[in-house]
Amino acid sequence: SDHDMNQARLDEIERRLNEAGEVLAAGGTVAFPTETVYGLGADARNSKAVEAIFAAKGRPSDNPLIVHIASTHQLEGLVTGINDTAARLMEAFWPGPLTIVLPVMEGAVSPGVTAGLDTVAVRMPDHEVALQLIAAAGCPLAAPSANRSGRPSPTLADHVREDLGGRIDGIVDGGATGVGVESTVVLAGDDGIVTVLRPGGVTVEELAPFAKGGVQRDPALRSGAGVPGPAAAPRSPGMKYTHYAPKGELRVVAGSAPQVADRIQAELDAAKARGEITGVLAFDEHLPFYRADCVLSLGSLARLETAAHRLYAALRRFDDSGVTVMLAEACPEDGLGAAVMNRLLKAAGHRIIFV
Ligand code: TXA
Ligand code: MG
C-alpha cells in the first residue's frame, strides 16, 4: 500500500541519516542540505575533522566557519553570553537562515572553526534533514557551503558531487535547497543594534522589528552605491574573498530598464563580434529582448525569492555552457534583492556599469 511504501522510504532516509551521523561522529566530512545551500559538515570540536573541511574545499584558513545546531541547548558549552537582542533574534528566526556571531567559550570548538577570533558564528538551519543529521551526529557541526572555494555555493547535491566528489566522506541528497543564497550573518550588539555582516536569507526589513537600536549594514558591505569594492576591512572575514566567480567574465548593468536592456544587448553584440560565447542573466520582464548564446532567467522582478533560488545554479550553467562573456541585470536592493545583488557583484568582481 501507499502507506507501506512511504514507511519504507522514511525508514531508508532514517537509516542513511544515522549512517551519515556515525561518519560525522567518527570525525568524517559529510555534505548535507539546508534551507539555504548545501553545507559540508564536520564535528566542530574535532580539529582533524575541521581541517578536512578546509582541505576538501581549498578554503583559506583565516575564514571562520558557521557552527550548526539542532537545539538551543547546544549553545550551553559553546558560547559565553547571549544578550537580549541575540535572544530575540533566535526566538524570531531560528530555525532559519540567520547566523548570529556570539562570544565563544574557550576550548568549545576547534581553533580552525573561529580562525582565531573570540567569537563563533552559530545558526539553526530550517531543514528537517539538517536538523536530524545534527541530532544523529550528536555534536555541533561546523559547515561552510559545500563548494570548492571560489565556486558558486551548491543548491543541488549534484553541484556538491561536481566540486567535492571523491574529496569528502559522504553526501546526503535532500533535493534542491529552498532559499538559494546563504544565511544572513549578524552581530547583535549589547546596545540593541543589529549589524549585518553578510546579507542573506533573512532580510534587513525582517530584522528591523527585533533590533531596538536599529539595523545597520557593516560599512565594508557598501557596494550598490557605486563603490567599486569593499571599503573597510570586513568583520565577516569571508566577505573579502572573491566568491562565486564563474569562469567567464561577468559584468552587472544597473540603471533604468530600457537603457539597461540596450546597453546589455550592445555589450553582447560586441562580444559576439569578437568571437566570444555570450550569456545574459535577466528578469522575465525583459527576457524577450535579449539575443545571446545562453539566456537565463532569474524569474520575475516582482519575486526576488526566485532570483535568490536560481542565481548559483545559473552561474554554474554558464560555466557548463562554455560562456566566456556574461551580462547580468541588477535588481533593487530591497528584501532578498540585497543578498542577490551582493552575490552578483561578488561574482562579477564588482564590475558594474551604470547607465
Ligand atoms: O547558509 C549558510 O550560512 C551556509 C549553510 C551551509 O549553512 N553556510 C555558509 O558558510 O555560507 P560559509 O562558510 O560559506 O560562510 C560563513 C560566513 C563567512 O563569510 C565567514 O567569514 C562568516 O560566516 N563568519 C564565520 N564565523 C564568523 C565570526 N566569528 N565572525 C564573523 N563572521 C564569521
Ligand atoms: Mg561559502
PDB file of all heavy atoms in Angstrom, residues 175-214:
ATOM      1  N   GLY A 175      17.586  16.871  -2.298  1.00  0.00           N
ATOM      2  CA  GLY A 175      16.961  17.647  -3.365  1.00  0.00           C
ATOM      3  C   GLY A 175      17.437  19.085  -3.360  1.00  0.00           C
ATOM      4  O   GLY A 175      18.430  19.422  -2.702  1.00  0.00           O
ATOM      5  N   ALA A 176      16.724  19.929  -4.091  1.00  0.00           N
ATOM      6  CA  ALA A 176      17.111  21.338  -4.227  1.00  0.00           C
ATOM      7  C   ALA A 176      16.896  22.070  -2.902  1.00  0.00           C
ATOM      8  O   ALA A 176      15.939  21.796  -2.183  1.00  0.00           O
ATOM      9  CB  ALA A 176      16.295  22.000  -5.327  1.00  0.00           C
ATOM     10  N   THR A 177      17.810  22.997  -2.583  1.00  0.00           N
ATOM     11  CA  THR A 177      17.624  23.819  -1.393  1.00  0.00           C
ATOM     12  C   THR A 177      16.580  24.886  -1.702  1.00  0.00           C
ATOM     13  O   THR A 177      16.251  25.114  -2.871  1.00  0.00           O
ATOM     14  CB  THR A 177      18.937  24.498  -0.971  1.00  0.00           C
ATOM     15  OG1 THR A 177      19.381  25.351  -2.020  1.00  0.00           O
ATOM     16  CG2 THR A 177      20.007  23.465  -0.663  1.00  0.00           C
ATOM     17  N   GLY A 178      16.055  25.559  -0.672  1.00  0.00           N
ATOM     18  CA  GLY A 178      14.964  26.495  -0.871  1.00  0.00           C
ATOM     19  C   GLY A 178      15.399  27.912  -1.176  1.00  0.00           C
ATOM     20  O   GLY A 178      15.243  28.409  -2.293  1.00  0.00           O
ATOM     21  N   VAL A 179      15.992  28.566  -0.193  1.00  0.00           N
ATOM     22  CA  VAL A 179      16.324  29.990  -0.319  1.00  0.00           C
ATOM     23  C   VAL A 179      17.302  30.218  -1.475  1.00  0.00           C
ATOM     24  O   VAL A 179      17.129  31.112  -2.291  1.00  0.00           O
ATOM     25  CB  VAL A 179      16.925  30.533   0.997  1.00  0.00           C
ATOM     26  CG1 VAL A 179      17.260  32.011   0.863  1.00  0.00           C
ATOM     27  CG2 VAL A 179      15.973  30.296   2.161  1.00  0.00           C
ATOM     28  N   GLY A 180      18.370  29.433  -1.518  1.00  0.00           N
ATOM     29  CA  GLY A 180      19.296  29.511  -2.648  1.00  0.00           C
ATOM     30  C   GLY A 180      20.510  30.393  -2.426  1.00  0.00           C
ATOM     31  O   GLY A 180      21.509  30.228  -3.109  1.00  0.00           O
ATOM     32  N   VAL A 181      20.439  31.364  -1.528  1.00  0.00           N
ATOM     33  CA  VAL A 181      21.632  32.105  -1.106  1.00  0.00           C
ATOM     34  C   VAL A 181      21.847  31.795   0.380  1.00  0.00           C
ATOM     35  O   VAL A 181      20.949  31.321   1.069  1.00  0.00           O
ATOM     36  CB  VAL A 181      21.530  33.630  -1.328  1.00  0.00           C
ATOM     37  CG1 VAL A 181      21.475  33.953  -2.803  1.00  0.00           C
ATOM     38  CG2 VAL A 181      20.336  34.208  -0.588  1.00  0.00           C
ATOM     39  N   GLU A 182      23.053  32.090   0.881  1.00  0.00           N
ATOM     40  CA  GLU A 182      23.410  31.700   2.235  1.00  0.00           C
ATOM     41  C   GLU A 182      22.647  32.516   3.285  1.00  0.00           C
ATOM     42  O   GLU A 182      21.991  33.500   2.970  1.00  0.00           O
ATOM     43  CB  GLU A 182      24.924  31.886   2.449  1.00  0.00           C
ATOM     44  CG  GLU A 182      25.802  31.025   1.554  1.00  0.00           C
ATOM     45  CD  GLU A 182      26.086  31.656   0.207  1.00  0.00           C
ATOM     46  OE1 GLU A 182      25.381  32.630  -0.171  1.00  0.00           O
ATOM     47  OE2 GLU A 182      27.007  31.190  -0.485  1.00  0.00           O
ATOM     48  N   SER A 183      22.845  32.112   4.537  1.00  0.00           N
ATOM     49  CA  SER A 183      22.196  32.789   5.657  1.00  0.00           C
ATOM     50  C   SER A 183      22.730  34.214   5.807  1.00  0.00           C
ATOM     51  O   SER A 183      23.833  34.540   5.369  1.00  0.00           O
ATOM     52  CB  SER A 183      22.456  32.013   6.950  1.00  0.00           C
ATOM     53  OG  SER A 183      23.845  31.969   7.230  1.00  0.00           O
ATOM     54  N   THR A 184      21.918  35.045   6.442  1.00  0.00           N
ATOM     55  CA  THR A 184      22.345  36.387   6.852  1.00  0.00           C
ATOM     56  C   THR A 184      23.220  36.238   8.094  1.00  0.00           C
ATOM     57  O   THR A 184      22.842  35.540   9.024  1.00  0.00           O
ATOM     58  CB  THR A 184      21.103  37.239   7.176  1.00  0.00           C
ATOM     59  OG1 THR A 184      20.271  37.276   6.020  1.00  0.00           O
ATOM     60  CG2 THR A 184      21.482  38.653   7.589  1.00  0.00           C
ATOM     61  N   VAL A 185      24.403  36.871   8.092  1.00  0.00           N
ATOM     62  CA  VAL A 185      25.285  36.827   9.262  1.00  0.00           C
ATOM     63  C   VAL A 185      25.180  38.166   9.993  1.00  0.00           C
ATOM     64  O   VAL A 185      25.364  39.224   9.370  1.00  0.00           O
ATOM     65  CB  VAL A 185      26.757  36.553   8.864  1.00  0.00           C
ATOM     66  CG1 VAL A 185      27.654  36.526  10.109  1.00  0.00           C
ATOM     67  CG2 VAL A 185      26.881  35.243   8.090  1.00  0.00           C
ATOM     68  N   VAL A 186      24.845  38.134  11.291  1.00  0.00           N
ATOM     69  CA  VAL A 186      24.696  39.375  12.056  1.00  0.00           C
ATOM     70  C   VAL A 186      25.457  39.349  13.373  1.00  0.00           C
ATOM     71  O   VAL A 186      25.742  38.290  13.931  1.00  0.00           O
ATOM     72  CB  VAL A 186      23.208  39.681  12.400  1.00  0.00           C
ATOM     73  CG1 VAL A 186      22.372  39.880  11.156  1.00  0.00           C
ATOM     74  CG2 VAL A 186      22.612  38.613  13.308  1.00  0.00           C
ATOM     75  N   LEU A 187      25.778  40.555  13.829  1.00  0.00           N
ATOM     76  CA  LEU A 187      26.258  40.801  15.186  1.00  0.00           C
ATOM     77  C   LEU A 187      25.093  41.430  15.940  1.00  0.00           C
ATOM     78  O   LEU A 187      24.452  42.339  15.407  1.00  0.00           O
ATOM     79  CB  LEU A 187      27.378  41.839  15.150  1.00  0.00           C
ATOM     80  CG  LEU A 187      28.819  41.427  14.984  1.00  0.00           C
ATOM     81  CD1 LEU A 187      29.665  42.692  14.847  1.00  0.00           C
ATOM     82  CD2 LEU A 187      29.256  40.607  16.182  1.00  0.00           C
ATOM     83  N   ALA A 188      24.830  40.952  17.146  1.00  0.00           N
ATOM     84  CA  ALA A 188      23.779  41.547  17.966  1.00  0.00           C
ATOM     85  C   ALA A 188      24.456  42.318  19.083  1.00  0.00           C
ATOM     86  O   ALA A 188      24.993  41.720  20.016  1.00  0.00           O
ATOM     87  CB  ALA A 188      22.868  40.462  18.527  1.00  0.00           C
ATOM     88  N   GLY A 189      24.457  43.658  18.990  1.00  0.00           N
ATOM     89  CA  GLY A 189      25.164  44.483  19.981  1.00  0.00           C
ATOM     90  C   GLY A 189      24.416  44.557  21.298  1.00  0.00           C
ATOM     91  O   GLY A 189      23.188  44.438  21.331  1.00  0.00           O
ATOM     92  N   ASP A 190      25.153  44.777  22.384  1.00  0.00           N
ATOM     93  CA  ASP A 190      24.520  44.961  23.690  1.00  0.00           C
ATOM     94  C   ASP A 190      23.645  46.212  23.685  1.00  0.00           C
ATOM     95  O   ASP A 190      22.751  46.364  24.512  1.00  0.00           O
ATOM     96  CB  ASP A 190      25.592  45.075  24.791  1.00  0.00           C
ATOM     97  CG  ASP A 190      26.350  43.769  24.983  1.00  0.00           C
ATOM     98  OD1 ASP A 190      25.790  42.701  24.638  1.00  0.00           O
ATOM     99  OD2 ASP A 190      27.502  43.812  25.466  1.00  0.00           O
ATOM    100  N   ASP A 191      23.924  47.134  22.742  1.00  0.00           N
ATOM    101  CA  ASP A 191      23.147  48.370  22.612  1.00  0.00           C
ATOM    102  C   ASP A 191      21.876  48.165  21.784  1.00  0.00           C
ATOM    103  O   ASP A 191      21.173  49.116  21.474  1.00  0.00           O
ATOM    104  CB  ASP A 191      24.025  49.449  21.958  1.00  0.00           C
ATOM    105  CG  ASP A 191      24.699  48.958  20.672  1.00  0.00           C
ATOM    106  OD1 ASP A 191      24.375  47.820  20.229  1.00  0.00           O
ATOM    107  OD2 ASP A 191      25.540  49.686  20.118  1.00  0.00           O
ATOM    108  N   GLY A 192      21.590  46.902  21.398  1.00  0.00           N
ATOM    109  CA  GLY A 192      20.376  46.642  20.625  1.00  0.00           C
ATOM    110  C   GLY A 192      20.534  46.868  19.137  1.00  0.00           C
ATOM    111  O   GLY A 192      19.587  46.701  18.365  1.00  0.00           O
ATOM    112  N   ILE A 193      21.744  47.253  18.709  1.00  0.00           N
ATOM    113  CA  ILE A 193      21.982  47.449  17.276  1.00  0.00           C
ATOM    114  C   ILE A 193      22.335  46.101  16.641  1.00  0.00           C
ATOM    115  O   ILE A 193      23.175  45.362  17.155  1.00  0.00           O
ATOM    116  CB  ILE A 193      23.124  48.459  17.028  1.00  0.00           C
ATOM    117  CG1 ILE A 193      22.740  49.841  17.571  1.00  0.00           C
ATOM    118  CG2 ILE A 193      23.466  48.538  15.529  1.00  0.00           C
ATOM    119  CD1 ILE A 193      23.845  50.885  17.444  1.00  0.00           C
ATOM    120  N   VAL A 194      21.669  45.781  15.544  1.00  0.00           N
ATOM    121  CA  VAL A 194      21.984  44.569  14.788  1.00  0.00           C
ATOM    122  C   VAL A 194      22.791  44.984  13.557  1.00  0.00           C
ATOM    123  O   VAL A 194      22.339  45.803  12.765  1.00  0.00           O
ATOM    124  CB  VAL A 194      20.702  43.817  14.373  1.00  0.00           C
ATOM    125  CG1 VAL A 194      21.015  42.660  13.441  1.00  0.00           C
ATOM    126  CG2 VAL A 194      19.966  43.308  15.619  1.00  0.00           C
ATOM    127  N   THR A 195      23.992  44.444  13.443  1.00  0.00           N
ATOM    128  CA  THR A 195      24.851  44.779  12.310  1.00  0.00           C
ATOM    129  C   THR A 195      24.897  43.596  11.347  1.00  0.00           C
ATOM    130  O   THR A 195      25.259  42.483  11.735  1.00  0.00           O
ATOM    131  CB  THR A 195      26.279  45.110  12.792  1.00  0.00           C
ATOM    132  OG1 THR A 195      26.208  46.136  13.774  1.00  0.00           O
ATOM    133  CG2 THR A 195      27.152  45.577  11.625  1.00  0.00           C
ATOM    134  N   VAL A 196      24.515  43.848  10.105  1.00  0.00           N
ATOM    135  CA  VAL A 196      24.535  42.793   9.085  1.00  0.00           C
ATOM    136  C   VAL A 196      25.946  42.695   8.503  1.00  0.00           C
ATOM    137  O   VAL A 196      26.433  43.636   7.881  1.00  0.00           O
ATOM    138  CB  VAL A 196      23.515  43.083   7.967  1.00  0.00           C
ATOM    139  CG1 VAL A 196      23.626  42.053   6.839  1.00  0.00           C
ATOM    140  CG2 VAL A 196      22.101  43.088   8.532  1.00  0.00           C
ATOM    141  N   LEU A 197      26.591  41.568   8.739  1.00  0.00           N
ATOM    142  CA  LEU A 197      27.940  41.344   8.202  1.00  0.00           C
ATOM    143  C   LEU A 197      27.877  40.725   6.814  1.00  0.00           C
ATOM    144  O   LEU A 197      28.786  40.894   6.006  1.00  0.00           O
ATOM    145  CB  LEU A 197      28.739  40.435   9.136  1.00  0.00           C
ATOM    146  CG  LEU A 197      28.840  40.868  10.602  1.00  0.00           C
ATOM    147  CD1 LEU A 197      29.749  39.925  11.376  1.00  0.00           C
ATOM    148  CD2 LEU A 197      29.359  42.301  10.702  1.00  0.00           C
ATOM    149  N   ARG A 198      26.836  39.943   6.569  1.00  0.00           N
ATOM    150  CA  ARG A 198      26.631  39.353   5.241  1.00  0.00           C
ATOM    151  C   ARG A 198      25.133  39.302   4.989  1.00  0.00           C
ATOM    152  O   ARG A 198      24.412  38.654   5.736  1.00  0.00           O
ATOM    153  CB  ARG A 198      27.203  37.926   5.188  1.00  0.00           C
ATOM    154  CG  ARG A 198      26.928  37.230   3.850  1.00  0.00           C
ATOM    155  CD  ARG A 198      27.505  35.824   3.772  1.00  0.00           C
ATOM    156  NE  ARG A 198      26.746  34.850   4.537  1.00  0.00           N
ATOM    157  CZ  ARG A 198      27.023  33.541   4.573  1.00  0.00           C
ATOM    158  NH1 ARG A 198      28.063  33.079   3.899  1.00  0.00           N
ATOM    159  NH2 ARG A 198      26.286  32.728   5.290  1.00  0.00           N
ATOM    160  N   PRO A 199      24.632  39.973   3.928  1.00  0.00           N
ATOM    161  CA  PRO A 199      23.206  39.873   3.637  1.00  0.00           C
ATOM    162  C   PRO A 199      22.875  38.449   3.192  1.00  0.00           C
ATOM    163  O   PRO A 199      23.722  37.773   2.603  1.00  0.00           O
ATOM    164  CB  PRO A 199      22.984  40.875   2.498  1.00  0.00           C
ATOM    165  CG  PRO A 199      24.324  41.119   1.901  1.00  0.00           C
ATOM    166  CD  PRO A 199      25.363  40.786   2.944  1.00  0.00           C
ATOM    167  N   GLY A 200      21.663  37.993   3.476  1.00  0.00           N
ATOM    168  CA  GLY A 200      21.305  36.620   3.118  1.00  0.00           C
ATOM    169  C   GLY A 200      19.818  36.391   3.235  1.00  0.00           C
ATOM    170  O   GLY A 200      19.018  37.302   3.015  1.00  0.00           O
ATOM    171  N   GLY A 201      19.460  35.174   3.605  1.00  0.00           N
ATOM    172  CA  GLY A 201      18.064  34.728   3.569  1.00  0.00           C
ATOM    173  C   GLY A 201      17.094  35.496   4.445  1.00  0.00           C
ATOM    174  O   GLY A 201      15.904  35.539   4.148  1.00  0.00           O
ATOM    175  N   VAL A 202      17.565  36.076   5.550  1.00  0.00           N
ATOM    176  CA  VAL A 202      16.694  36.929   6.366  1.00  0.00           C
ATOM    177  C   VAL A 202      17.000  38.376   5.994  1.00  0.00           C
ATOM    178  O   VAL A 202      18.160  38.794   6.010  1.00  0.00           O
ATOM    179  CB  VAL A 202      16.928  36.701   7.879  1.00  0.00           C
ATOM    180  CG1 VAL A 202      16.166  37.730   8.707  1.00  0.00           C
ATOM    181  CG2 VAL A 202      16.487  35.288   8.283  1.00  0.00           C
ATOM    182  N   THR A 203      15.964  39.133   5.648  1.00  0.00           N
ATOM    183  CA  THR A 203      16.189  40.484   5.123  1.00  0.00           C
ATOM    184  C   THR A 203      16.315  41.517   6.246  1.00  0.00           C
ATOM    185  O   THR A 203      15.886  41.285   7.376  1.00  0.00           O
ATOM    186  CB  THR A 203      15.029  40.900   4.195  1.00  0.00           C
ATOM    187  OG1 THR A 203      13.842  41.025   4.994  1.00  0.00           O
ATOM    188  CG2 THR A 203      14.792  39.870   3.100  1.00  0.00           C
ATOM    189  N   VAL A 204      16.882  42.668   5.898  1.00  0.00           N
ATOM    190  CA  VAL A 204      17.001  43.792   6.835  1.00  0.00           C
ATOM    191  C   VAL A 204      15.612  44.198   7.326  1.00  0.00           C
ATOM    192  O   VAL A 204      15.411  44.489   8.512  1.00  0.00           O
ATOM    193  CB  VAL A 204      17.709  44.980   6.141  1.00  0.00           C
ATOM    194  CG1 VAL A 204      17.563  46.256   6.958  1.00  0.00           C
ATOM    195  CG2 VAL A 204      19.176  44.658   5.905  1.00  0.00           C
ATOM    196  N   GLU A 205      14.647  44.191   6.417  1.00  0.00           N
ATOM    197  CA  GLU A 205      13.281  44.568   6.768  1.00  0.00           C
ATOM    198  C   GLU A 205      12.708  43.619   7.828  1.00  0.00           C
ATOM    199  O   GLU A 205      11.990  44.033   8.740  1.00  0.00           O
ATOM    200  CB  GLU A 205      12.382  44.550   5.519  1.00  0.00           C
ATOM    201  CG  GLU A 205      12.721  45.626   4.473  1.00  0.00           C
ATOM    202  CD  GLU A 205      13.832  45.214   3.489  1.00  0.00           C
ATOM    203  OE1 GLU A 205      14.609  44.270   3.792  1.00  0.00           O
ATOM    204  OE2 GLU A 205      13.930  45.829   2.419  1.00  0.00           O
ATOM    205  N   GLU A 206      13.023  42.329   7.695  1.00  0.00           N
ATOM    206  CA  GLU A 206      12.526  41.337   8.658  1.00  0.00           C
ATOM    207  C   GLU A 206      13.227  41.475  10.016  1.00  0.00           C
ATOM    208  O   GLU A 206      12.640  41.211  11.060  1.00  0.00           O
ATOM    209  CB  GLU A 206      12.739  39.915   8.116  1.00  0.00           C
ATOM    210  CG  GLU A 206      11.802  39.557   6.966  1.00  0.00           C
ATOM    211  CD  GLU A 206      12.232  38.294   6.221  1.00  0.00           C
ATOM    212  OE1 GLU A 206      13.427  37.941   6.232  1.00  0.00           O
ATOM    213  OE2 GLU A 206      11.350  37.667   5.601  1.00  0.00           O
ATOM    214  N   LEU A 207      14.502  41.901   9.980  1.00  0.00           N
ATOM    215  CA  LEU A 207      15.267  42.028  11.230  1.00  0.00           C
ATOM    216  C   LEU A 207      14.817  43.239  12.046  1.00  0.00           C
ATOM    217  O   LEU A 207      14.842  43.216  13.287  1.00  0.00           O
ATOM    218  CB  LEU A 207      16.765  42.178  10.919  1.00  0.00           C
ATOM    219  CG  LEU A 207      17.488  40.937  10.392  1.00  0.00           C
ATOM    220  CD1 LEU A 207      18.876  41.310   9.866  1.00  0.00           C
ATOM    221  CD2 LEU A 207      17.608  39.871  11.490  1.00  0.00           C
ATOM    222  N   ALA A 208      14.411  44.293  11.346  1.00  0.00           N
ATOM    223  CA  ALA A 208      14.177  45.599  11.979  1.00  0.00           C
ATOM    224  C   ALA A 208      13.315  45.552  13.248  1.00  0.00           C
ATOM    225  O   ALA A 208      13.686  46.142  14.262  1.00  0.00           O
ATOM    226  CB  ALA A 208      13.607  46.574  10.952  1.00  0.00           C
ATOM    227  N   PRO A 209      12.179  44.854  13.243  1.00  0.00           N
ATOM    228  CA  PRO A 209      11.334  44.861  14.441  1.00  0.00           C
ATOM    229  C   PRO A 209      12.008  44.261  15.678  1.00  0.00           C
ATOM    230  O   PRO A 209      11.542  44.478  16.793  1.00  0.00           O
ATOM    231  CB  PRO A 209      10.129  43.996  14.041  1.00  0.00           C
ATOM    232  CG  PRO A 209      10.166  43.892  12.563  1.00  0.00           C
ATOM    233  CD  PRO A 209      11.582  44.066  12.146  1.00  0.00           C
ATOM    234  N   PHE A 210      13.110  43.517  15.485  1.00  0.00           N
ATOM    235  CA  PHE A 210      13.757  42.850  16.617  1.00  0.00           C
ATOM    236  C   PHE A 210      15.050  43.549  17.039  1.00  0.00           C
ATOM    237  O   PHE A 210      15.767  43.061  17.901  1.00  0.00           O
ATOM    238  CB  PHE A 210      14.021  41.380  16.258  1.00  0.00           C
ATOM    239  CG  PHE A 210      12.759  40.673  15.860  1.00  0.00           C
ATOM    240  CD1 PHE A 210      12.390  40.572  14.531  1.00  0.00           C
ATOM    241  CD2 PHE A 210      11.914  40.159  16.837  1.00  0.00           C
ATOM    242  CE1 PHE A 210      11.205  39.947  14.167  1.00  0.00           C
ATOM    243  CE2 PHE A 210      10.722  39.542  16.492  1.00  0.00           C
ATOM    244  CZ  PHE A 210      10.363  39.436  15.143  1.00  0.00           C
ATOM    245  N   ALA A 211      15.352  44.678  16.387  1.00  0.00           N
ATOM    246  CA  ALA A 211      16.575  45.424  16.688  1.00  0.00           C
ATOM    247  C   ALA A 211      16.188  46.757  17.309  1.00  0.00           C
ATOM    248  O   ALA A 211      15.884  47.716  16.599  1.00  0.00           O
ATOM    249  CB  ALA A 211      17.375  45.633  15.405  1.00  0.00           C
ATOM    250  N   LYS A 212      16.190  46.831  18.654  1.00  0.00           N
ATOM    251  CA  LYS A 212      15.748  48.062  19.340  1.00  0.00           C
ATOM    252  C   LYS A 212      16.625  49.243  18.962  1.00  0.00           C
ATOM    253  O   LYS A 212      16.170  50.378  18.943  1.00  0.00           O
ATOM    254  CB  LYS A 212      15.774  47.848  20.856  1.00  0.00           C
ATOM    255  CG  LYS A 212      14.617  46.989  21.323  1.00  0.00           C
ATOM    256  CD  LYS A 212      14.374  47.125  22.823  1.00  0.00           C
ATOM    257  CE  LYS A 212      13.138  46.330  23.249  1.00  0.00           C
ATOM    258  NZ  LYS A 212      13.349  45.544  24.479  1.00  0.00           N
ATOM    259  N   GLY A 213      17.907  48.974  18.683  1.00  0.00           N
ATOM    260  CA  GLY A 213      18.822  50.051  18.313  1.00  0.00           C
ATOM    261  C   GLY A 213      18.920  50.232  16.797  1.00  0.00           C
ATOM    262  O   GLY A 213      19.756  50.985  16.315  1.00  0.00           O
ATOM    263  N   GLY A 214      18.111  49.524  16.053  1.00  0.00           N
ATOM    264  CA  GLY A 214      18.135  49.634  14.603  1.00  0.00           C
ATOM    265  C   GLY A 214      19.039  48.603  13.942  1.00  0.00           C
ATOM    266  O   GLY A 214      19.823  47.933  14.612  1.00  0.00           O
TER     267      GLY A 214
END
